[in-house]
């Protein structure tokens, strides 16, 4: 795996130079209510081009609600949200064309083959058939899955499914990819290999917005926000958060905030 500290040092976030690129996600005073319940309480933050941004919080903290809004699947009650320069209220279709999404379930169709899944998503993303075939061949060679192109997804090892789901999510070269607990249920070695793909996407300029329950993965992010009861209680680089909360690791930071 790439050295995570080196990656954080090279990626200029939480510090200075990276901000010159301007934010690719802008959130100001985001509120989402369900009746009298406030799921997102006045969220304000920016995410920058090529950044790996960790979005953490316990179950019920409001992460999933916020991600649905950022993906254009739900409208905020109030606040300003721009994704890749597009307004969340009236440009949701443009937003959807500029983002990718991967959930814990991997977003693949189990009863289709590897190739059929790739062609399906290529069609959804509007990629011409000729280009889709070329990109498919390149992708399968890169993932060392060329011999598996006709195999059903249901019969693939979990690690293969994970790699393929991520690759499909960025097949159309989006500006941002949202990863909602993408490594849940996989072993530590597979998780580390998956983060190699995340680093590669980030190095290619794709912004990675990731939620995770694994605090060791928070260490791999350029910056991390931690939500509790609908609010962002902390947002900074892992190094700065550990210093601020006098913590040895992100586990300790999370426990101090979530308590």
């Amino acid at each position: 795996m790439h050295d995570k500290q080196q990656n954080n040092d090279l990626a200029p976030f939480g510090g200075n130079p990276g901000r010159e690129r301007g934010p690719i996600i802008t959130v100001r005073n985001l509120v989402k209510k369900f009746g009298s319940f406030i799921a997102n309480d006045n969220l304000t933050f920016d995410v920058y081009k090529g950044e790996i941004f960790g979005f953490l919080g316990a179950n019920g903290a409001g992460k999933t609600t916020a991600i649905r809004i950022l993906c254009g699947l739900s409208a905020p009650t109030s606040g300003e949200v721009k994704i890749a320069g597009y307004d969340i209220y009236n440009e949701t279709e443009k937003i959807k064309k500029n983002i990718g999404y991967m959930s814990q379930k991997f977003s693949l169709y189990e009863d289709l083959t590897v190739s059929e899944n790739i062609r399906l998503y290529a069609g959804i993303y509007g990629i011409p058939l000729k280009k889709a075939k070329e990109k498919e061949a390149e992708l399968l060679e890169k993932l060392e899955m060329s011999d598996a192109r006709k195999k059903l997804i249901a019969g693939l090892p979990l690690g293969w499914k994970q790699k393929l789901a991520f690759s499909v999510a960025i097949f159309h070269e989006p500006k941002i990819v949202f990863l909602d607990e993408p490594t849940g249920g996989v072993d530590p070695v597979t998780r580390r290999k998956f983060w190699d793909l995340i680093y590669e996407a980030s190095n290619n300029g794709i912004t990675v917005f990731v939620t995770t329950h694994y605090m060791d993965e928070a260490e791999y992010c350029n910056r991390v926000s931690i939500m509790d009861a609908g609010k962002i209680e902390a947002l900074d680089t892992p190094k700065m958060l550990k210093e601020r909360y006098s913590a040895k690791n992100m586990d300790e930071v999370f426990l101090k905030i979530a308590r």
Side-chain angles (χ1 to χ4, degrees):
M1 165 178 268
H2 301 298
D3 180 77
K4 59 178 179 288
Q5 186 59 52
Q6 181 186 30
N7 181 275
N8 281 336
D9 289 343
L10 289 176
F13 306 109
N16 21 13
R19 298 177 185 272
E20 294 174 4
R21 309 178 194 179
I24 195 160
I25 297 175
T26 301
V27 179
R28 296 288 180 271
N29 308 118
L30 168 62
V31 174
K32 180 65 175 181
K33 295 180 180 179
F34 296 97
S36 60
F37 175 70
I38 303 175
N40 294 147
D41 190 356
N42 209 41
L43 307 186
T44 293
F45 61 92
D46 291 322
V47 182
Y48 298 90
K49 179 178 170 62
E51 182 172 19
I52 301 173
F53 187 84
F55 201 59
L56 311 183
N59 289 334
K63 303 188 308 296
T64 299
T65 299
I67 285 182
R68 285 183 57 80
I69 291 171
L70 298 181
C71 290
L73 299 175
S74 178
T77 303
S78 62
E80 175 190 345
V81 181
K82 287 193 174 182
I83 308 295
Y86 299 111
D87 182 76
I88 202 72
Y89 292 99
N90 49 38
E91 296 180 297
T92 54
E93 291 308 310
K94 291 180 179 178
I95 287 172
K96 290 173 185 176
K97 290 179 181 178
N98 282 276
I99 65 172
Y101 177 81
M102 175 183 167
S103 71
Q104 187 175 353
K105 299 297 183 183
F106 304 152
S107 313
L108 297 173
Y109 290 88
E110 297 270 312
D111 55 347
L112 297 181
T113 66
V114 169
S115 181
E116 286 169 342
N117 267 276
I118 294 173
R119 299 282 176 88
L120 173 64
Y121 279 97
I124 291 172
Y125 295 136
I127 300 173
L129 183 59
K130 182 180 179 182
K131 184 178 180 182
K133 288 181 178 179
E134 293 172 356
K135 286 174 67 70
E136 177 188 348
E138 293 171 3
L139 173 61
L140 293 179
E141 184 176 350
K142 172 187 164 186
L143 297 179
E144 298 179 344
M145 292 177 62
S146 296
D147 293 339
R149 64 184 303 274
K150 293 185 179 180
K151 290 185 178 179
L152 291 176
I153 294 296
L156 295 181
L158 196 57
W160 285 26
K161 291 182 186 179
Q162 187 190 51
K163 289 192 300 181
L164 183 62
F166 179 73
S167 300
V168 164
I170 61 172
F171 195 68
H172 58 307
E173 300 173 10
K175 294 179 180 178
I176 306 157
V177 61
F178 291 91
L179 307 178
D180 195 2
E181 297 181 25
T183 56
V186 299
D187 63 87
V189 173
T190 302
R191 284 202 289 125
R192 291 178 68 86
K193 289 180 179 178
F194 182 75
W195 274 86
D196 277 338
L197 296 178
I198 291 177
Y199 279 135
E200 181 181 353
S202 173
N203 290 335
N204 288 334
I206 296 176
T207 300
V208 181
F209 192 104
V210 57
T211 72
T212 178
H213 280 306
Y214 299 108
M215 289 303 107
D216 62 315
E217 293 187 344
E219 305 268 4
Y220 304 155
C221 299
N222 299 119
R223 287 188 304 145
V224 171
S225 80
I226 300 178
M227 287 189 70
D228 185 45
K231 297 182 179 181
I232 292 179
E233 298 292 347
L235 198 168
D236 213 326
T237 64
K239 179 181 178 182
M240 292 303 296
L241 288 173
K242 285 183 288 186
E243 289 180 6
R244 183 182 309 162
Y245 289 92
S246 301
K248 296 177 183 177
N249 52 47
M250 287 302 296
D251 261 318
E252 290 187 10
V253 172
F254 185 80
L255 288 173
K256 288 183 177 182
I257 292 173
R259 249 184 280 186

